[in-house]
Amino acid sequence: MKVTFPHLGNVYIAAKALFQGLGIECVIPPLSNKAALEIGSLYSPEEICLPFKIQLGNYIQSIEQGADTVIITGSCGPCRFGEYGEMQMNILRKLGYDVKFIVADSPSDIGIRELFKRIGYMTAYSNKNKIQKIKSLFDAIKIIELMDSVEGEARYKSGFELRKGECKRLLNKCKSEAFNAESPGEMIEVIQHYNEKIKNVEFDAQKNPIKVAVIGEIYTIIEPFSNLYIEDRLMEMGVSTKRRLTPSWWVKNTALSPLGLNSMDIKKASKDYMALCIGGHARECIGEAVLAKEDGFDGAIQIFPLGCMPEIVSKAILPKISKDLGLPIMTLVVDEMTGEAGYLTRVEAFIDLLERRREDVLSRC
Amino acid sequence: MKIGLPKGLLNYKYSTFFETFFFELGTEIVYSSDTNKEILDLGVKHCVDEACLPIKIFHGHVASLRDKCDLLITPRIMQIRKKEFICPKFCGLPEMLVNSIPNLPMITTAPLYFFSKEKLYSWCIASAEKITKDRSKVKAACTKAMEKQNNTSYGIKNQGFRKNIALIGHPYNIYDSFINMNLVKKLNKLGVGVITEEFVEEKDLDIQIQKLYKRPFWNFARNAFGFSTFMAEQKKIDGIIYISSFACGIDSVVIELIKSGIDEFPFMVLKIDEHTGEAGLETRIEAFVDMLGGGINYESNLSPLR
Ligand code: SF4
Ligand code: SF4
């Protein structure tokens, strides 16, 4: 058995460690790329959302490299994501690829037995004992958390750094060295090392960079290829960014949600504008916009794939929030046709606007 | 107190419930007119661009009623059957409306779950808050409304046509003849009868959805998939027409599920938005009917005496 999985930001690094720990062979799809998107769009229904298409491209590129089992997580709220597995299976079967799908649905949907059965199917290929298996899982979770911390710090601090480009350089080095580590243990050490380094990046006390919150549909904000590497671009412009939705946030949120203890800050912040969970991560998007203001950010950028149902609801509400709080918010809708030039112009214009607003405020007082 | 009941969305299916409930409470009910060009334009003006046509049209209905009533029925339908969801846009409907349309009167915001009596009752209490505090009156009205709703039947089942098709789509796409440009009438004129999902038995649906790897996530998917695969399998119809709106996330999935469930069975998807032209739609319907072998002598259906 050779497993593969769809990309989502830095998760592939942790996944590599997980399968290595379990002793299961795995094919990591090439980082999401144009060819993957093209293949994916070719075989996907036209109106399906962008994440579906990129994921399908990921699988096909992996299958071509020998993968025979695809692992995906199942539903996460009333949205299309819950149906992805079934449709992707049908498409791959029709294309003549003989692959098995393991869908890790939530136990409330399929029953805890079925979930164990599905996971058991995979771990049966592992020759490790139970303790080792559990350890690999914990290692992987730790890696996800550490990577998110490194990335988050780097993106936020880059606006303040004394030596231009240092944060970016550290982040990239961390990713590549972690990925090339020999063992999960070594990987954790590498990331910890960089985590310290980034924490100690020297600040320029004179700097007061523009700060932007990145909000919106979870996949398109986490998977850099799908948003045309917006965080990297902003980093290059000297803008500090913050994104609350990360893979480790997702893990924690999913684990705590049966108890209703998940993301209390976001829930509280969204209360005045959207008190209920409507599916996808619309409520988070709303809450994060409010929090961005509270945290002193200059603006927020909402990103979602064309046709994304929950985010369209958020988009209808954001202008009101923007007006009430005086926080500029820009929406970027992405799909396979999104042209880079126009997209970047809009981002630049938005940052300009934020800068001008600051000057206005300064000159007024 | 005047209650505004906008047409559009699932009010096509549940208007009996709302009507009866508020009538029993002694309030006056104002309706929006049938969907027309003005309502569409109002909707397009007030709604976020990215939304689908039915949501835009609902915004239009709501906007057209805003000066004519004190409370608008804008149902936030969360679930119709247990464990089956509906489109996120329904769950966030009140928020979309209040943040997009200025000067709205009060609107109903309580979540609505149709599968449980208790939950329906709590919706009634919350929505009647400004009308009466008399719980027993609310309870009686709620019970009556439920009864009436359960006794109302929906669906289209034409009889006596040479060719028949199953018409699939969200209720508001099927019953709003402005949205679908009189699709049913057009088909009838071409000598084609129409049947909708209401005429299939629950147990047959259950058997059909067993074929899916996963229990459908949406209530709508269950009905549409179960109905169309059942009708195709039983050869009770000659073809299937799916009326859908652009940018409908649910349809994009359900259409694929149906396609893989019916193999080569004749199937056509009509997608509509505010720019769809009637002539183009007609051509497509005619071509499909021709393909079913129904268009050849349809004229004889219209004038059987000749
Ligand atoms: S949240 Fe948006 S992108 Fe995700 S499955 Fe739903 S519609 Fe698609
Ligand atoms: S189900 Fe489709 S057509 Fe209906 S509101 Fe949702 S997106 Fe629009």
Side-chain angles (χ1 to χ4, degrees), chain A residues 35-50:
Chain A
L37 174 60
E38 273 164 19
I39 307 173
S41 316
L42 181 65
Y43 298 123
S44 302
E46 196 185 321
E47 278 211 14
I48 199 77
C49 32
L50 184 69

Side-chain angles (χ1 to χ4, degrees), chain A residues 8-245:
Chain A
L8 181 70
N10 297 323
V11 171
Y12 70 99
I13 299 177
K16 184 186 171 196
L18 174 66
F19 293 118
Q20 201 175 31
L22 290 172
I24 293 176
E25 243 188 297
C26 103
V27 178
I28 294 168
L31 288 183
S32 300
N33 53 67
K34 247 195 153 140
L37 174 60
E38 273 164 19
I39 307 173
S41 316
L42 181 65
Y43 298 123
S44 302
E46 196 185 321
E47 278 211 14
I48 199 77
C49 32
L50 184 69
F52 183 102
K53 297 178 181 170
I54 302 180
Q55 289 186 350
L56 191 68
N58 288 157
Y59 304 149
I60 295 180
Q61 288 189 332
S62 278
I63 293 169
E64 280 163 0
Q65 293 182 16
D68 56 21
T69 306
V70 174
I71 299 181
I72 53 172
T73 60
S75 65
C76 51
C79 204
R80 275 186 267 188
F81 196 79
E83 298 283 344
Y84 272 17
E86 174 126 24
M87 295 171 73
Q88 289 170 336
M89 273 186 249
N90 285 343
I91 293 175
L92 290 178
R93 197 174 307 127
K94 257 188 218 147
L95 289 173
Y97 293 120
D98 181 23
V99 284
K100 187 165 167 58
F101 266 73
I102 300 179
V103 187
D105 280 312
S106 84
S108 62
D109 247 4
I110 51 170
I112 193 84
R113 271 230 195 107
E114 173 72 19
L115 181 65
F116 279 141
K117 203 178 104 198
R118 290 184 191 174
I119 294 177
Y121 173 85
M122 184 180 85
T123 47
Y125 286 83
S126 164
N127 52 12
K128 303 281 154 105
N129 66 34
K130 214 168 182 177
I131 298 173
Q132 284 167 320
K133 282 179 190 166
I134 292 175
K135 178 165 185 313
S136 344
L137 187 67
F138 278 108
D139 280 351
I141 293 179
K142 185 156 190 196
I143 291 170
I144 292 186
E145 276 174 4
L146 276 170
M147 253 339 284
D148 282 342
S149 153
V150 171
E151 172 142 19
E153 289 277 318
R155 305 252 180 236
Y156 187 73
K157 288 210 162 145
S158 69
F160 300 88
E161 66 198 358
L162 189 62
R163 283 175 294 276
K164 176 121 181 79
E166 190 174 5
C167 287
K168 186 176 179 180
R169 196 177 45 85
L170 288 175
L171 174 61
N172 288 342
K173 270 181 91 175
C174 173
K175 280 197 226 173
S176 70
E177 280 178 32
F179 186 69
N180 292 321
E182 294 288 328
S183 67
E186 192 190 314
M187 193 183 280
I188 293 177
E189 273 168 34
V190 169
I191 311 177
Q192 263 163 349
H193 166 75
Y194 278 98
N195 206 15
E196 283 307 308
K197 271 198 145 169
I198 285 200
K199 283 207 175 109
N200 295 323
V201 164
E202 263 180 90
F203 270 28
D204 181 345
Q206 305 293 316
K207 277 192 179 166
N208 183 12
I210 294 286
K211 289 182 275 178
V212 169
V214 179
I215 61 177
E217 190 275 325
I218 189 163
Y219 178 94
T220 36
I221 58 177
I222 297 183
E223 177 59 22
F225 171 74
S226 69
N227 58 42
L228 288 75
Y229 307 95
I230 189 160
E231 287 173 323
D232 288 344
R233 305 291 181 164
L234 291 168
M235 220 173 180
E236 284 157 19
M237 292 180 203
V239 175
S240 282
T241 58
K242 176 165 178 170
R243 158 167 61 76
R244 279 174 190 266
L245 300 194

